[in-house]
Amino acid sequence: MENKKEFIPVLLGSDQNVYGMARSFHEKYGCVSEAIGRGSLPATANSRIVKLVKTEPDLEIDEMFVRTLTEYAENKRKNGETAPLLLVSCGDNYTKLLSRNKDKLESMFRFACPDADIYERLSLKENFYKVCDENGFDYPKTAECTYEDHKDIKLPFDFPVVVKPSNSVAYWNCSFPGKKKVFVIKTKDEFEAVLEAIYSSSYKDTLIIQEFIPGEDNMMRVINCYCSKDKKVRLFGLGRILLEEHTAQGIGSYAAIIPGEDEALKGRIISFLEKIGYEGFINIDVKLDSRDGKYKFFEMNLRQGRSSFFVTAAGCNLAQFLVEDLIYNDPKPLVTVKNGVCLWSVIPKNVIMKFVHDEDLKAEAKALIKAKKHVKQLYYAPDMNFKRMKMFVLNQANYMRKYKKNFQKKGYFPQ
């Protein structure tokens, strides 16, 4: 393990995504990351590998975002710190803020993120599907709904349908009874109730309504890439999903992954990212449609995600791609995550064995566990003090209860 203070990782947020990045930095370089976020979350509390050095409740406002980061950087320099500050977005809104304020921050920090116009094209769902059409990516049959027309909308396809926000940042900041990250709706009455609940909140942006692609969680795939500052893809990782989270706010977040390979899909994604001049991490969700054998694209998240640590677990350290590109100015040729080299999870093995229904996938997971290739996101031996061990044990114990209560219940159930 290298241990040179040639840079300081500065992570935006305090959740499991932040912890995964901090663990990546610590595993490769032995360094302690510093985090700046809106508040403190259990994933990064009481840690030896990441320190939450600043909390600012209004961090997601442009002026406060720039001011907070500027003050942080200036204080570092006043205290004699000369190492480069390597800034990493660990959330959608932080990427949005970085892309809009590049010119104000790039003299103080080194970071990789897409330009503002690319952010707008890929992050808003209605724009994203236009990009899919332009580039030949399949996606579920889709309709849009606005606050003004939501009571009169007529769907061009049958139930069940999926309802999700176009503007994930605005949706994250709204509140209403029964709120879920994504809804799977089976009836017209339930559909009308969901729309009324959402638009009774502060959320007034477009909603995306799609046909439901059949198949359990194991039909989902997640793609993780890193594009260097010269707009070349340097990392490609494909994950096969065993299970998603099934709680209201966790739907769509992955809970267990085994790396996979698909050369045709890899070629298409690399060609697309280099054509549009993408820079930074990107996380793409697709589902394999058993009806026609095609991948249906759901969304592109313009940062690495919580589950992206599966790439580090598979031997392709996420932090290393940033450091080689932004600190050493020496990005390496394209690296591809190898098939089936580990099992990554945030859930215990007994949940995997009980709720994964695909027997072949379950057998593969069991073999990886037996071979001691099961990597648990929050269990990192160098960081396991009493308080973190207590948090981890309680976290894992709660998952069986959560899955028993919520498994395959993605509809609308007001609290």
Side-chain angles (χ1 to χ4, degrees):
M1 182 185 292
E2 302 171 33
N3 193 15
K4 300 176 183 177
K5 196 174 182 183
E6 297 181 5
F7 57 89
I8 299 173
V10 184
L11 312 180
L12 295 173
S14 62
D15 61 2
Q16 286 205 42
N17 188 344
V18 172
Y19 192 79
M21 284 306 302
R23 182 171 169 180
S24 294
F25 277 109
H26 193 266
E27 285 187 6
K28 178 62 182 175
Y29 301 102
C31 58
V32 176
S33 297
E34 299 189 354
I36 299 172
R38 293 176 61 190
S40 177
L41 292 172
T44 50
N46 305 303
S47 173
R48 299 188 188 101
I49 68 169
V50 57
K51 302 299 180 186
L52 185 60
V53 296
K54 175 69 177 177
T55 58
E56 172 49 64
D58 294 327
L59 190 61
E60 294 185 355
I61 298 173
D62 283 86
E63 294 79 7
M64 185 59 72
F65 180 76
V66 172
R67 183 192 308 169
T68 300
L69 290 178
T70 299
E71 290 176 354
Y72 167 84
E74 289 176 345
N75 286 335
K76 282 290 186 185
R77 300 310 178 215
K78 286 178 184 177
N79 292 328
E81 183 59 71
T82 59
L85 304 175
L86 183 52
L87 189 61
V88 186
S89 169
C90 297
D92 293 319
N93 212 18
Y94 296 130
T95 302
K96 178 181 180 180
L97 290 161
L98 270 181
S99 71
R100 290 202 302 223
N101 295 285
K102 273 187 174 184
D103 58 333
K104 300 180 181 72
L105 297 170
E106 57 191 0
S107 65
M108 296 172 281
F109 297 91
R110 300 188 191 184
F111 55 90
C113 76
D115 292 334
D117 61 331
I118 292 177
Y119 181 92
E120 291 300 322
R121 286 183 66 205
L122 299 184
S123 64
L124 290 178
K125 300 295 189 299
E126 61 260 43
N127 294 340
F128 167 67
Y129 296 119
K130 293 175 185 175
V131 171
C132 286
D133 285 333
E134 293 167 3
N135 291 275
F137 295 140
D138 295 295
Y139 57 92
K141 293 176 184 176
T142 298
E144 295 179 7
C145 170
T146 66
Y147 173 71
E148 290 74 20
D149 70 9
H150 76 275
K151 293 186 178 181
D152 302 312
I153 185 169
K154 304 235 181 331
L155 295 179
F157 40 81
D158 296 328
F159 292 97
V161 300
V162 174
V163 176
K164 57 187 178 182
S166 172
N167 188 335
S168 58
V169 173
Y171 188 74
W172 178 259
N173 291 318
C174 83
S175 177
F176 59 90
K179 179 182 176 183
K180 298 192 176 188
K181 187 177 177 182
V182 176
F183 292 94
V184 178
I185 306 299
K186 297 180 179 179
T187 67
K188 185 174 185 294
D189 288 343
E190 189 181 9
F191 176 72
E192 292 174 349
V194 167
L195 266 55
E196 186 60 32
I198 293 174
Y199 281 131
S200 294
S201 75
S202 62
Y203 187 85
K204 296 295 187 282
D205 286 354
T206 302
L207 289 173
I208 302 298
I209 304 152
Q210 294 181 321
E211 65 167 340
F212 176 73
I213 304 299
E216 295 189 355
D217 296 354
N218 64 289
M219 301 301 284
M220 291 295 301
R221 303 289 185 270
V222 62
I223 300 158
N224 286 269
C225 297
Y226 178 74
C227 301
S228 52
K229 58 189 176 184
D230 62 359
K231 313 299 194 295
K232 299 294 183 182
V233 178
R234 304 295 177 175
L235 167 68
F236 182 88
L238 174 67
R240 295 175 284 145
I241 311 307
L242 282 73
L243 283 173
E244 293 183 0
E245 295 255 10
H246 282 254
T247 56
Q249 295 305 315
I251 295 169
S253 296
Y254 303 127
I257 295 173
I258 295 175
E261 293 178 354
D262 189 308
E263 286 298 316
L265 183 60
K266 171 183 167 182
R268 296 177 68 197
I269 296 297
I270 290 174
S271 176
F272 165 71
L273 292 174
E274 293 187 348
K275 182 179 79 171
I276 66 172
Y278 192 85
E279 181 180 345
F281 284 111
I282 191 166
N283 178 275
I284 305 171
D285 298 318
V286 303
K287 189 171 186 179
L288 183 59
D289 191 337
S290 59
R291 298 171 299 181
D292 58 14
K294 295 179 179 179
Y295 288 112
K296 303 298 168 67
F297 282 63
F298 284 5
E299 63 181 347
M300 296 185 182
N301 302 297
L302 311 191
R303 37 77 184 162
Q304 77 292 340
R306 179 190 73 166
S307 66
S308 297
F309 187 77
F310 89 84
V311 175
T312 294
C316 300
N317 190 290
L318 292 170
Q320 186 174 0
F321 290 88
L322 281 171
V323 172
E324 289 176 346
D325 182 30
L326 303 178
I327 302 299
Y328 300 149
N329 297 308
D330 185 26
K332 299 298 188 290
L334 174 67
V335 175
T336 301
V337 174
K338 295 186 183 304
N339 181 53
V341 294
C342 70
L343 165 65
W344 166 91
S345 80
V346 295
I347 56 179
K349 61 184 179 182
N350 61 336
V351 172
I352 295 171
M353 293 304 135
K354 181 174 177 61
F355 292 97
V356 173
H357 295 154
D358 184 298
E359 292 301 326
D360 291 338
L361 203 54
K362 188 185 296 186
E364 189 174 355
K366 190 177 294 185
L368 289 166
I369 292 169
K370 186 176 180 179
K372 302 189 183 305
K373 294 180 179 179
H374 180 196
V375 178
K376 302 168 187 175
Q377 174 100 352
L378 291 176
Y379 187 92
Y380 182 43
D383 199 27
M384 295 310 287
N385 54 50
F386 175 78
K387 289 182 178 179
R388 285 200 65 81
M389 180 61 79
K390 181 180 178 181
M391 179 273 292
F392 176 75
V393 170
L394 290 174
N395 171 274
Q396 296 294 282
N398 281 335
Y399 267 114
M400 181 59 79
R401 175 184 58 80
K402 289 178 181 178
Y403 272 83
K404 284 181 177 178
K405 178 181 178 182
N406 299 299
F407 188 62
Q408 294 183 337
K409 295 178 181 177
K410 297 182 180 180
Y412 182 53
F413 299 96
Q415 306 298 311

